[in-house]
Amino acid sequence: YAGPVPVKIYIKKNKVEKIEVLKNQETPKYLAKVKKAMLNAWDGLTVKEAKAKKVDAVTGATMSSEALIENVQTGLDYYQKNK
C-alpha cells in the first residue's frame, strides 16, 4: 500500500455507472488485481445499495483493496450529502 487510491465515481439518476481509479502511487501489480476484481462491483447499483454492499478484499492485495473500498464509500457519502 503506497498511499491514497483516489477514485472518480460516475453517478447518473442516483445509480453508479462506473468507477475509475485516478492517478496514484499504488504498486501497479497490486492495483491491477484490485481493478480487475473489484471495480465493477458497484456498477448498476443505486447509491444506497452501493453504500450497503460488502465488497471482499482481493487476496494478495488486501491493503489496496481496503483503500479502494474506503474511497468509494467516502465518495458515495459525499454524493448523498451534496446531491
Side-chain angles (χ1 to χ4, degrees), residues 33-42 50 52-70 73:
K33 283 184 175 184
V34 170
K35 287 168 69 174
K36 182 177 180 184
M38 297 175 68
L39 273 188
N40 296 330
W42 298 274
K53 184 169 176 106
K54 301 294 181 208
V55 178
D56 292 331
V58 176
T59 302
T62 304
M63 293 180 76
S64 300
S65 300
E66 290 172 354
L68 177 67
I69 293 167
E70 182 178 328
Q73 292 300 318

Side-chain angles (χ1 to χ4, degrees), residues 9-24:
I9 304 170
Y10 293 85
I11 299 172
K12 186 174 184 179
K13 295 183 181 177
N14 204 44
K15 284 193 172 188
V16 177
E17 289 196 321
K18 71 176 179 175
I19 297 172
E20 290 180 354
V21 176
L22 303 177
K23 185 176 180 178
N24 61 78

